[in-house]
Amino acid sequence: MSDDSMGLKGKSALVTGAGGGLGRAHALLLAKYGAKVIVNDLGGAADGSGAGHSMADQVVEEIKSAGGEAAANYGSVSDAESATAMVEQAVDTFGSIDIVVNNAGILRDVTFTKMTEDDWDIIFAVHVKGSYLVTKAAWPHMREKSYGRIVMTSSASGIYGNFGQSNYSAAKMALIGLGQTLALEGEKYNIKANTIAPQALSRLTESLMPEFVHDYIKPEFVSPLVVYLCSESCDASGALYEVGAGAFCRIDKTRAKGLTIKPDRDISVEEVAENWQLINDTSEGTVMRTIGESTQETLKHCMS
């Protein structure tokens, strides 16, 4: 029996990369709270090669066995026709598309020196283009209905960088910008978009995490935040959350008080060098959440 305390009963959700790890946990918990779920998974290997049906089918069976509603989809998010088809499957099967959780991902870890163009392109194709294509297909349905919930999946690697992951880090940072812009463009249509940076055990990360922490970073400890962000009652939009191991934290951008010189004369390199510590001192910093706030702060001293 589903729990409708989050107002998710009857909502139609598409979770990409839901055949295992985080996506599976999200799909199962969304279904537990009454959502009808399209379980998308290409069924390939962690590096993006291969394909199969068993992963998505197994999650669909788990949901149905627990009394929920679900259908499998085996398309690639990086293919425009497949991305459109999985959204249309949600509309045709469940009557709408209310929720998109962009979770599908692969890894091609290699140092920047050894990285090939293919290593770079395939990561962007799956993470960035895939999230774009799926969300683009769902967007008009959400606008027409004046309702939508979108979750992007970034990473701590995107926020902080990580050795050997220049492709992955760049792609994950791109998703933060995409999510924030969709939040702005979707505001008047009641479409809320947020981004998570999860720390969780999956086939992508199990070799990167020491074994002694595996029990603390189960995917199931991330999904409660995802489900809440997908709920009707959650009013957050354009936010970034770091989540894992029972920690749920909003991440914001702090702007240092810095150095301000009125630009009514030439500004020298020496002035920048002499004030470098002040420029980098964030102890009196201010959180910036919009481009308007940032621009206003940049120009404020010019108007005095």
Side-chain angles (χ1 to χ4, degrees):
M1 182 178 294
S2 65
D3 181 340
D4 190 33
S5 60
M6 291 293 110
L8 286 163
K9 190 171 181 63
K11 294 289 192 297
S12 172
L14 165 61
V15 183
T16 67
L22 282 166
R24 172 183 172 273
H26 302 339
L28 291 174
L29 196 58
L30 281 164
K32 179 181 177 181
Y33 279 85
K36 303 171 184 180
V37 185
I38 297 294
V39 177
N40 160 262
D41 203 291
L42 182 63
D47 65 357
S49 61
H53 291 185
S54 61
M55 294 179 70
D57 286 342
Q58 184 174 340
V59 177
V60 168
E61 183 55 38
E62 286 183 76
I63 290 172
K64 289 183 174 180
S65 295
E69 293 186 56
N73 178 277
Y74 318 110
S76 170
V77 296
S78 63
D79 177 77
E81 288 186 9
S82 295
T84 299
M86 64 184 75
V87 169
E88 293 303 323
Q89 181 182 359
V91 174
D92 293 343
T93 306
F94 301 134
S96 65
I97 178 70
D98 305 300
I99 296 162
V100 170
V101 180
N102 290 297
N103 171 77
I106 62 170
L107 283 179
R108 287 284 185 94
D109 289 359
V110 61
T111 60
F112 191 65
T113 299
K114 297 178 180 179
M115 184 169 293
T116 66
E117 191 172 355
D118 183 58
D119 291 329
W120 181 272
D121 287 347
I122 194 170
I123 289 294
F124 270 77
V126 175
H127 292 271
V128 183
K129 187 178 181 181
S131 296
Y132 157 75
L133 289 173
V134 173
T135 307
K136 181 74 169 178
W139 194 256
H141 295 283
M142 293 178 171
R143 277 181 38 133
E144 183 178 357
K145 194 176 180 180
S146 289
Y147 186 87
R149 298 292 183 267
I150 297 164
V151 176
M152 298 291 176
T153 304
S154 182
S155 168
S157 297
I159 301 170
Y160 309 111
N162 197 27
F163 189 92
Q165 290 193 320
S166 58
N167 51 358
Y168 184 79
S169 298
K172 288 303 192 181
M173 192 62 172
L175 290 172
I176 297 173
L178 177 58
Q180 290 174 327
T181 299
L182 291 179
L184 294 171
E185 295 187 10
E187 185 175 6
K188 71 177 181 179
Y189 301 102
N190 191 27
I191 302 173
K192 302 188 186 301
N194 292 284
T195 304
I196 62 166
Q199 300 248 7
L201 188 69
S202 71
R203 61 183 182 147
L204 299 186
T205 61
E206 61 184 351
S207 64
L208 306 175
M209 302 285 193
E211 192 169 345
F212 73 90
V213 302
H214 284 190
D215 285 344
Y216 302 132
I217 55 171
K218 293 178 181 178
E220 290 80 4
F221 299 145
V222 172
S223 297
L225 173 62
V226 172
V227 171
Y228 182 64
L229 291 173
C230 292
S231 71
E232 193 165 354
S233 58
C234 181
D235 62 358
S237 196
L240 169 64
Y241 296 93
E242 198 164 11
V243 53
F248 304 85
C249 313
R250 179 165 179 158
I251 301 291
D252 269 317
K253 297 159 284 294
T254 300
R255 175 187 171 117
K257 185 176 180 181
L259 167 69
T260 54
I261 302 169
K262 196 165 186 175
D264 55 2
R265 61 171 176 81
D266 291 341
I267 299 173
S268 70
V269 177
E270 287 77 11
E271 286 176 290
V272 173
E274 289 165 4
N275 290 280
W276 192 239
Q277 185 174 349
L278 178 62
I279 290 169
N280 286 280
D281 181 5
T282 58
S283 62
E284 297 183 52
T286 305
V287 170
M288 295 291 161
R289 291 183 174 168
T290 70
I291 194 169
E293 288 179 1
S294 176
T295 302
Q296 185 176 12
E297 189 66 22
T298 295
L299 295 174
K300 182 172 66 175
H301 71 284
C302 301
M303 306 305 170
S304 59

